[in-house]
Each structure stands twice: as C-alpha cells, then as structure tokens.
Amino acid sequence: MKLAEQLEQDEKYEEAYAEYRKELAHNQGDVELLTKLGHLALILDKKEEAQAYYARILEVDPSSILAHEQLIDLFVHEDKFKYYLLRGNLHSLQQQFSHAKSDYKKAIDNAKDQLESLPARYLFAAMAEGQEKYQEAIDEYLRIADYDEENPMVYLKLAELYEKTEGIVASIEILERGIKERGFKEFEEILAGYYIRNSQPDKALELTKNDLTKARALMDLDRNDEGFAVLNKVKDQYKDQPILYSLLAQYYFQKDMKEEAFKEIDEYAKLDSNSPLIYQMRALIYEKEGDSFNEHVNWGKYNILKGEKEVALNEYMTAYQYDNSNIDLIETIAVQLEGMKDFTKACEFYERLVDLEPKNANALQKLAVFRDSIGDYTMAFEYMNRLKEVDSRNQFVLDNYEKFQDRAANGGGIASFFKSIFGKRMG
C-alpha cells in the first residue's frame, strides 16, 4: 500500500494503479482502496473501470455521497436511466425527497424497457408512500405488478396501502388475488390474520395452520373451550410470545373470569410493556364489570400510547367525574394539561392535588411558578413558603426564595401584575 501511495504521489499513475489493484485482491471491501482505484481510473481515462469501482463502493456503503456523485458524472451523457436513478438516490440521502421523486420519474421515462425501469419504480413508490401520498404509491405498485409478476412483495405493499385508503376489505381482495392468480401460498397466514381483523373467523379457521390464529378464530366463533384446548396444548411452545397471553386473557374475559384475565394481561405486559393492547384489554374488563372509573383511566392510557393525547385527556376527565380524589389521576391530568400548554387548567388540578396532599412538593413548585408567571407574587410566595416548610433543602427553594420574597414585598398580588403592564398610566 505504501509503495502504491508513493507512486501516486510521484504521479506515476499507471504503476500506482497496478499496485492498488494487487492490494484489492486481498481487500475486496476496502472502501478507501476502492476510492483510490476509482480516482486513478478517472485520471487514466478508464471510465468503465471507474464505474465498477464506485459501484462496488455503493455495494459496501450505499450512503456514500462521493460514489454517487462520481457515478452521476460518469453516466450523465452515457446512460440517462442510471444518471437519474443515482441522482434520485443522492437527493434521497440528502433528504431532498421532492427532487428524488422527480429524478426517479425521469429515470422511469429514460429506461430502455419496463424491466429496466423496475428499480426506479420501486423507489418512486416507496418515496410516495413515505410522503403519505398513498394513492400515488398504489398506482405505481399496480404498474409494477404488470411487469414483476412473481414478486409477492408488490401484493403485500398493496394490501398495506389499501388498508390505509380503501379499507381492510380491499386488502383482503388483493391478497386473495395473489393466492388465486399467482399462487402465493405464503400469503395464507397473512390473509388469515386479515380475516380475523375483519370479523371473518370462519374463513381464518379454514386457511390457517398457526395454532394461535386457530385458537383466536375458535374463540371468535364462540367455541371458547376448543380454543382454550389449543392454547393449552401449545402453551410451552409459545410462552415467550405476548399474543399467547392476550388470547388466554380473551378466553377468561369471555368466561367472566376477571382475576384470571388480569393475570394473563400482566404476563402479556411483562413481554410487551408499551403495548396499547394492555390497557384496551383492562378497559374492556372494567367496562364489563361496571367499573367506570378504571374503565376510562385505562382508555386514557390506551390513547396516550396511541398518540391520541386529546382523546386520552377526555377519558381522564370522564374518570375524574367518577372519582375526583384519586391522587394518581389528578396528577396525570395536570401533567397532561401542562404538556398541552394549558397551564391555567393544569394549575387547577395542581391546586386540587395540594388540597389532597398538602406536602406534595412538585405540585407546590408548579403552583409557585405559575402564580409568579401571571404576576400574582403574593400567592406565588405563599406557595414558596409552603414548599420551604415541606423541603427546606429543595434546590428550587434555595435558588429562588429571595427573588420570590422580594417580588411579593414590592407590591405582590394581581395589582402589581397590572402595574407591570400599564406602568405610568396607573400612577
């Protein structure tokens, strides 16, 4: 390697190139070495060899900006399809997605035939899907299906996209078509899952060979004991899969065995602690039991994990109507309101919290900060004093006590707030 570098430095490019090629025989995936060879191939006007080296770099490191740029320059006049395809990839790496889509479209237009266009079509479809332009992605995958008939992935992508646009029935139809027209037997279990979700357990039972899907279908058909027997038979085999415990919980739920159902949900939670399904299952049990408070608390937690914060807050507020003294719920609502920037409403709940827990340091600090922020310095200092009594070493107290005391002493209360706004006009 040192000899090759010395030869290159001495501008003996042919000899350096030959030495680097010898090194490549022992280091096929060395990006630095491939880069040197690509560079020297360009100097020596060996364009095809340069293309091969830079293409090899992309095999090893698909995110290489340098390799993309060099290949784009090499193909600009020689091959418009590869030129636009590579330019699209480069724009994608640079997160210039609109430019990337435009380039992929141009690559498709410049392909010599439909088969050559397929890589660009796949990338265009994926880009459209990433931008949530689902119909555009569907149209492209349908075009792909005409020319890449043996690729089951096309049908799976269409099923996913149809569910987002037209609904689950359309997804089922495309998978059924894939099985019937293309013989994609690997779709059968996926289709069985779609049948379950579309309340067609009879069809799922006919199709599935998976024991857990079979048990779910049987229970959905009210053949609970048959489903339970299947689960017991395969329990050890699937003991590390959360779905086993959700199905056992479903069985006990349908049998009105509340405690057993909760136990299985707890087992599920050990394996998948962030799943919204945990709280959905608990909410349904509480609903069946007529426990409205816990039902709505769990629907709240379910919607938090689903990212539906406003829906979650509504559920928590409903639960509050059933029990307005639950410390955990009140704190949850306060934090939720604070996260949604509704500080006034949040502090109403922090006030309720300190009514129930006078020594709640976090709530006292929140209230002190809020009262200070609206210019109610007297009340802010009152909360600061209460916080100091609770925890005299509290860092917030140590850092801010004198400032709060000074503001309260120099015209605290709402009057000072208005004075700070209107100033001389109140003088």
Side-chain angles (χ1 to χ4, degrees):
M1 190 75 162
K2 288 182 179 180
L3 173 59
E5 289 173 346
Q6 185 61 54
L7 289 166
E8 182 181 2
Q9 190 174 335
D10 294 340
E11 300 184 7
K12 296 179 180 179
Y13 298 128
E14 283 283 5
E15 295 174 56
Y17 185 66
E19 287 298 322
Y20 281 132
R21 283 173 60 86
K22 291 177 185 176
E23 289 289 334
L24 187 64
H26 308 293
N27 299 285
Q28 293 287 331
D30 189 321
V31 171
E32 183 183 356
L33 182 55
L34 289 164
T35 302
K36 289 179 179 296
L37 281 164
H39 174 66
L40 285 175
L42 287 175
I43 291 175
L44 296 168
D45 200 29
K46 300 175 185 287
K47 290 185 179 180
E48 289 187 8
E49 293 180 33
Q51 290 169 8
Y53 291 128
Y54 288 119
R56 177 63 181 144
I57 290 171
L58 290 184
E59 291 177 19
V60 178
D61 179 14
S63 64
S64 171
I65 300 293
L66 173 66
H68 275 97
E69 290 175 338
Q70 294 292 357
L71 286 169
I72 287 167
D73 288 342
L74 285 164
F75 287 120
V76 63
H77 299 300
E78 182 179 322
D79 189 326
K80 287 296 184 184
F81 170 74
K82 290 179 181 177
Y83 168 73
Y84 283 116
L85 184 67
L86 287 158
R87 204 170 76 166
N89 289 346
L90 179 59
H91 280 136
S92 180
L93 287 170
Q94 295 168 335
Q95 298 189 339
Q96 297 175 358
F97 300 122
S98 295
H99 291 306
K101 272 182 68 182
S102 176
D103 286 326
Y104 292 141
K105 195 68 178 171
K106 290 175 182 175
I108 292 166
D109 293 340
N110 281 276
K112 66 176 180 287
D113 55 39
Q114 292 298 333
L115 288 177
E116 185 179 57
S117 76
L118 286 175
R121 288 193 182 280
Y122 275 111
L123 290 164
F124 181 87
M127 192 70 65
E129 184 181 358
Q131 293 180 320
E132 298 185 358
K133 295 182 177 180
Y134 299 130
Q135 192 55 55
E136 196 173 16
I138 287 170
D139 291 342
E140 200 59 48
Y141 279 121
L142 287 172
R143 294 187 190 99
I144 290 168
D146 290 334
Y147 302 102
D148 199 9
E149 299 175 354
E150 302 306 315
N151 190 344
M153 191 273 281
V154 179
Y155 289 82
L156 293 175
K157 292 304 298 184
L158 284 168
E160 290 176 15
L161 290 163
Y162 279 139
E163 186 173 0
K164 293 174 181 177
T165 53
E166 299 181 29
I168 197 168
V169 173
S171 302
I172 287 171
E173 288 173 354
I174 195 68
L175 291 174
E176 288 176 335
R177 182 179 145 196
I179 293 171
K180 183 178 178 180
E181 296 180 7
R182 305 299 182 202
F184 294 144
K185 291 292 185 181
E186 61 266 42
F187 286 0
E188 290 183 350
E189 287 301 331
I190 299 168
L191 182 56
Y194 273 95
Y195 283 143
I196 288 287
R197 290 164 52 207
N198 198 44
S199 302
Q200 295 175 282
D202 51 337
K203 288 193 171 185
L205 190 59
E206 289 175 10
L207 203 58
T208 188
K209 293 180 177 60
N210 181 277
D211 291 313
L212 297 181
T213 305
K214 190 181 297 182
R216 169 70 186 272
L218 287 166
M219 288 191 285
D220 286 355
L221 289 164
D222 291 326
R223 293 159 63 180
N224 295 316
D225 290 334
E226 290 180 67
F228 187 62
V230 172
L231 292 176
N232 274 328
K233 186 171 67 174
V234 299
K235 195 170 182 179
D236 289 340
Q237 181 182 346
Y238 293 104
K239 63 184 178 181
D240 295 327
Q241 295 193 23
I243 189 173
L244 169 69
Y245 302 100
S246 70
L247 291 172
L248 287 168
Q250 179 182 340
Y251 170 78
Y252 289 124
F253 171 76
Q254 292 178 184
K255 286 289 189 176
D256 292 323
M257 300 169 70
K258 173 184 171 182
E259 296 304 321
E260 289 82 355
F262 276 129
K263 181 180 176 182
E264 298 302 337
I265 295 169
D266 289 342
E267 291 299 318
Y268 179 99
K270 290 176 185 176
L271 296 172
D272 191 1
S273 59
N274 292 318
S275 171
L277 184 60
I278 298 165
Y279 303 103
Q280 182 182 33
M281 291 188 289
R282 287 175 180 163
L284 290 169
I285 295 171
Y286 284 123
E287 181 183 12
K288 195 173 186 180
E289 292 290 310
D291 185 342
S292 297
F293 172 78
N294 280 307
E295 174 197 342
H296 289 288
V297 165
N298 278 279
W299 281 126
K301 293 176 180 179
Y302 168 82
N303 281 291
I304 285 290
L305 287 172
K306 296 281 284 185
E308 301 287 346
K309 293 183 179 180
E310 291 187 6
V311 178
L313 182 59
N314 287 336
E315 293 291 345
Y316 289 139
M317 289 295 195
T318 303
Y320 184 71
Q321 301 305 311
Y322 290 100
D323 184 353
N324 63 4
S325 299
N326 186 284
I327 299 295
D328 290 337
L329 175 61
I330 294 167
E331 191 162 22
T332 296
I333 293 173
V335 170
Q336 188 74 9
L337 286 164
E338 195 175 1
M340 297 168 74
K341 309 300 182 185
D342 190 345
F343 300 111
T344 302
K345 194 70 176 174
C347 280
E348 290 180 21
F349 282 89
Y350 281 124
E351 285 169 354
R352 177 63 178 154
L353 200 55
V354 295
D355 287 342
L356 296 167
E357 278 192 339
K359 294 185 178 181
N360 189 311
N362 180 59
L364 289 168
Q365 180 175 324
K366 295 285 186 182
L367 288 165
V369 170
F370 174 70
R371 289 295 174 184
D372 185 69
S373 72
I374 64 170
D376 188 358
Y377 302 127
T378 299
M379 200 65 186
F381 186 55
E382 183 178 322
Y383 282 121
M384 179 66 86
N385 269 325
R386 290 174 64 179
L387 179 58
K388 185 178 181 182
E389 289 174 12
V390 170
D391 183 7
S392 61
R393 296 184 179 181
N394 182 288
Q395 193 61 48
F396 177 77
V397 172
L398 295 173
D399 291 342
N400 295 282
Y401 187 85
E402 290 182 2
K403 287 185 284 186
F404 275 60
Q405 183 180 43
D406 183 61
R407 282 199 283 268
N410 289 286
I414 297 299
S416 68
F417 172 59
F418 284 107
K419 186 176 180 180
S420 69
I421 294 176
F422 296 108
K424 294 178 182 178
R425 279 182 282 174
M426 294 184 66

